[in-house]
């Protein structure tokens, strides 16, 4: 039994973030939708990264709307969105989840009636949305916030449990193809999907806010069975799949088992993962990963200097990084690394050493991030306790008396310019083409079309083509 008969799942567009953010489908919403497939007869998915006219697409018979607010958005913009939904669908129930919704749960459920979220879920769904749908009462669900009797109320938030093998995301609800499509419309011709095979992280990097729940508790690392992951990969049509795990290689033996099943079943795709440099300590597993299709690997090296690594509480040093890369540099993978600049005690000269260090390691690409203190992580207190260091209240970037926030942004640009020499561009492009095998004709076609359109502003949203047969009822 269900208290609702028609559900619409909406993924908002935060208007910022990755230029290639259309690579990632809303897996969380698709999981929530899958959990009620047998009790809500009508289910629809709207993704505002594609659906600019989302208000017109909202089905008339919708009686519950579920929103996923993962990333920071202006609160007035969110409340305006809720108001628009409630104006168009009277008596609709609106629920929300995601990190932003958790952080603003009291404001969202205590807003005036016309822009109020009825229930905010904290943490992963793990069946709680189904519980709410079955009885229609928030009081019977753990880890939710709501407004009742003129007061803000909340039920206790349970700790994250083990990540379940099932259900799988309901990909049948999608109306558009996800891929390496930039916000300005440039399409690289690589169609993509994503999968989550684990969650949580056992490490304690000082800058990270993703390894703790809204109650400040460490999210324990748990993983799905290798077989369930391969079963899901077998159903995915896209040729390029990104693992959205925080730490895809934490259990090398499990990764080896996953690769063996992929090879045994003959599943041929290209996979991207993000992990720590400890992957280099098991080169035999890394070689098997390459044979199974793992070709794009992003590391969180963060720094080449031991004092900065200690400040960031990375739990490794430069020598460990160099030894790990020496063992896997020969493996046919496209290696990328994140670097953080602007840490306490890091000089301009030390930051400018990153390009040479990255080339020595054998990295094919780098990403440079000014240090930010986004929340209550221990790093915030350490920065503010250091004389001459500050945190910009709007951007949350760290700066100092020696280097302003503007200086650090310019240093980030200079580091990237120094790394991307003509030789490096050619080398990385050839390797990417060899390993990932993008459709060069498609890239050329879309690139020419993109230029002829006048190359709109990078953050301008472009209308997406909707696949036939996926139109929503009006």
């Amino acid at each position: 039994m269900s208290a609702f008969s028609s559900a619409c799942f909406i993924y908002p567009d935060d208007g910022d973030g990755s230029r290639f953010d259309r690579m990632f489908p809303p897996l969380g919403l698709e999981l929530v939708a899958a959990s009620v497939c047998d009790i809500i007869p009508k289910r629809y998915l709207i993704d505002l990264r594609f659906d600019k006219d989302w208000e017109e697409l909202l089905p008339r018979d919708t009686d519950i709307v579920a929103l996923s607010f993962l990333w920071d958005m202006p609160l007035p913009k969110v409340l305006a969105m809720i108001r628009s939904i409630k104006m168009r669908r009277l008596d609709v129930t609106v629920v929300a989840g995601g990190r932003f919704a958790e952080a603003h749960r009291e404001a969202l459920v205590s807003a005036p009636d016309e822009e109020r979220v009825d229930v905010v879920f904290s943490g992963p769904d793990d069946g709680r949305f189904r519980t709410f749908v079955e009885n229609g009462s928030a009081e019977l669900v753990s880890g939710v916030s709501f407004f009742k009797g003129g007061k803000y109320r909340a039920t206790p938030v349970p700790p994250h449990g083990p990540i379940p093998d099932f259900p799988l995301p309901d990909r049948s609800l999608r109306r558009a193809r996800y891929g390496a499509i930039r916000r300005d419309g440039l399409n690289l011709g690589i169609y993509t999907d994503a999968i989550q095979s684990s969650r949580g992280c056992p490490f304690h990097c000082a800058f990270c806010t993703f390894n703790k729940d809204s109650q400040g508790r460490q999210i324990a690392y748990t993983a799905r069975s290798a077989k369930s992951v391969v079963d899901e990969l077998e159903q995915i049509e896209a040729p390029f799949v990104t693992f959205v795990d925080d730490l895809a290689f934490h259990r090398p033996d499990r990764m080896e088992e996953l690769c063996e099943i992929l090879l045994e079943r003959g599943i041929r795709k290209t996979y991207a993962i993000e992990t720590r440099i400890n992957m280099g300590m098991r080169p035999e597993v890394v070689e098997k990963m390459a044979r199974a299709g793992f070709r794009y690997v992003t590391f969180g090296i963060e720094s080449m200097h031991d004092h900065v690594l200690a400040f960031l509480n990375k739990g490794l040093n430069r020598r460990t990084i160099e030894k790990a890369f020496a063992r896997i540099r020969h493996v046919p993978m496209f290696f990328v690394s994140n670097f953080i600049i602007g840490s306490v005690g890091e000089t301009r000269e030390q930051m400018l050493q990153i390009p040479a260090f990255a080339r020595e390691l054998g990295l094919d690409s780098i990403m440079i991030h000014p240090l930010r203190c986004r929340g209550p992580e221990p790093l915030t207190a350490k920065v503010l306790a250091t004389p001459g260091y500050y945190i910009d209240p709007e951007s949350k970037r760290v700066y100092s008396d020696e280097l302003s926030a503007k200086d650090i942004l310019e240093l980030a640009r200079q580091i990237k310019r120094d790394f991307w020499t003509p030789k490096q561009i050619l080398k990385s492009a050839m390797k990417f083409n060899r390993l990932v095998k993008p459709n060069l004709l498609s890239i050329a076609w879309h690139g020419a079309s993109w230029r002829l359109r006048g190359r709109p502003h990078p953050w301008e949203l472009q209308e997406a083509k909707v696949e036939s047969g996926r139109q929503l009822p009006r």
Side-chain angles (χ1 to χ4, degrees):
M1 285 292 294
S2 170
F4 306 95
S5 61
S6 179
C8 188
F9 302 89
I10 300 180
Y11 189 83
D13 187 348
D14 59 13
D16 203 345
S18 168
R19 283 177 177 265
F20 287 101
D21 68 343
R22 295 184 183 193
M23 288 182 66
F24 304 102
L27 287 182
L29 275 180
E30 292 174 349
L31 279 167
V32 172
S35 73
V36 294
C37 65
D38 60 326
I39 57 175
I40 296 185
K42 298 178 182 179
R43 297 168 303 129
Y44 312 101
L45 176 66
I46 296 176
D47 188 335
L48 269 65
R49 292 172 295 179
F50 297 95
D51 299 315
K52 294 173 67 176
D53 57 345
W54 67 272
E55 292 157 311
E56 300 302 319
L57 292 172
L58 194 63
R60 289 192 179 92
D61 60 351
T62 298
D63 53 11
I64 183 169
V65 170
L67 297 131
S68 174
F69 293 107
L70 284 180
W71 310 112
D72 291 344
M73 295 177 66
L75 187 59
K77 180 179 178 181
V78 173
L79 296 176
M81 184 177 182
I82 308 305
R83 186 166 58 249
S84 180
I85 292 171
K86 292 198 167 186
M87 284 175 57
R88 285 166 171 75
R89 301 294 179 265
L90 300 178
D91 300 322
V92 70
T93 296
V94 178
V95 304
R99 293 176 65 85
F100 177 85
E102 289 182 52
H104 297 84
R105 53 190 180 272
E106 185 166 359
L108 291 173
V109 302
S110 303
D113 287 345
E114 65 272 14
E115 55 188 24
R116 177 182 300 161
V117 174
D118 297 292
V119 184
V120 170
F121 288 76
S122 295
D125 174 56
D126 290 355
R128 291 180 299 135
F129 178 72
R130 182 184 177 95
T131 301
F132 174 72
V133 163
E134 286 177 329
N135 57 59
S137 172
E139 295 172 280
L140 301 177
V141 184
S142 61
V144 297
S145 303
F146 55 96
F147 197 77
K148 186 174 182 180
K151 294 182 179 180
Y152 167 77
R153 301 176 186 274
T155 59
V157 179
H160 284 53
I163 183 172
D165 284 345
F166 299 100
L168 302 181
D170 190 347
R171 293 176 169 84
S172 69
L173 299 177
R174 295 179 188 175
R175 303 174 55 249
R177 296 182 74 181
Y178 293 85
I181 308 168
R182 214 160 62 178
R183 280 182 172 267
D184 58 6
L186 177 62
N187 187 335
L188 295 187
I190 304 172
Y191 290 100
T192 65
D193 208 324
I195 187 171
Q196 184 176 20
S197 76
S198 68
R199 70 179 175 213
C201 176
F203 296 97
H204 302 273
C205 299
F207 56 88
C208 184
T209 58
F210 286 89
N211 60 352
K212 290 182 173 59
D213 66 14
S214 59
Q215 309 300 300
R217 298 172 298 206
Q218 184 87 10
I219 300 173
Y221 176 88
T222 61
R224 292 168 53 189
S225 69
K227 181 181 180 301
S228 78
V229 175
V230 177
D231 287 344
E232 182 174 353
L233 289 171
E234 201 164 26
Q235 298 176 21
I236 292 175
E237 296 178 1
F240 189 98
V241 182
T242 300
F243 281 64
V244 296
D245 308 27
D246 293 325
L247 207 56
F249 193 84
H250 182 55
R251 293 180 180 169
D253 292 341
R254 171 182 168 273
M255 176 58 79
E256 186 172 25
E257 180 188 1
L258 192 154
C259 292
E260 288 172 351
I261 301 174
L262 284 171
L263 292 168
E264 180 182 320
R265 295 193 190 178
I267 301 172
R268 302 181 64 83
K269 297 182 186 295
T270 300
Y271 308 107
I273 65 167
E274 186 163 353
T275 192
R276 283 172 67 95
I277 193 59
N278 67 316
M279 190 174 103
M281 303 307 174
R282 293 288 299 274
E284 77 285 358
V285 178
V286 177
E287 290 172 357
K288 187 173 291 186
M289 289 171 64
R291 293 198 301 274
F294 289 86
R295 294 301 179 91
Y296 193 100
V297 181
T298 302
F299 298 104
I301 293 176
E302 321 306 358
S303 179
M304 59 183 288
H305 301 290
D306 288 350
H307 70 282
V308 177
L309 292 168
F311 172 75
L312 298 175
N313 201 34
K314 284 295 294 183
L316 47 80
N317 56 37
R318 176 171 178 165
R319 180 60 182 149
T320 302
I321 296 169
E322 291 172 335
K323 287 174 63 177
F325 262 99
R327 295 180 177 183
I328 61 173
R329 192 180 293 123
H330 67 284
V331 178
M333 289 181 172
F334 194 89
F335 293 123
V336 184
S337 182
N338 294 291
F339 287 91
I340 293 175
I341 62 172
S343 293
V344 170
E346 188 177 25
T347 67
R348 179 192 299 267
E349 292 71 27
Q350 289 172 336
M351 297 179 207
L352 291 174
Q353 293 170 11
I354 290 174
F357 177 68
R359 278 194 286 270
E360 288 171 9
L361 289 180
L363 291 173
D364 301 296
S365 182
I366 60 174
M367 291 183 283
I368 308 299
H369 310 279
L371 179 63
R372 295 192 190 202
C373 294
R374 296 180 180 273
E377 69 271 19
L379 191 61
T380 300
K382 290 172 70 175
V383 169
L384 294 177
T386 305
Y389 280 83
Y390 316 95
I391 300 172
D392 180 78
E394 291 187 7
S395 67
K396 307 299 182 184
R397 293 192 181 99
V398 174
Y399 65 99
S400 68
D401 291 337
E402 296 295 322
L403 291 169
S404 68
K406 184 178 179 181
D407 291 336
I408 293 173
L409 285 174
E410 178 53 40
L411 276 169
R413 287 189 284 266
Q414 184 175 343
I415 291 167
K416 287 184 276 191
R417 286 195 300 269
D418 291 348
F419 177 79
W420 289 111
T421 62
K423 181 180 178 181
Q424 184 66 55
I425 292 172
L426 180 62
K427 179 181 177 183
S428 295
M430 291 176 64
K431 186 175 182 182
F432 184 85
N433 181 56
R434 184 174 72 252
L435 297 179
V436 180
K437 296 181 174 61
N439 187 325
L440 297 181
L441 279 176
S442 177
I443 292 175
W445 172 263
H446 287 293
S449 173
W450 173 69
R451 286 181 178 275
L452 289 171
R453 283 204 310 270
R455 298 175 65 173
H457 187 276
W459 303 113
E460 182 181 339
L461 294 177
Q462 299 293 317
E463 195 78 49
K465 291 183 178 179
V466 177
E467 293 183 357
S468 60
R470 300 286 180 87
Q471 299 286 351
L472 293 179
R474 297 296 179 100

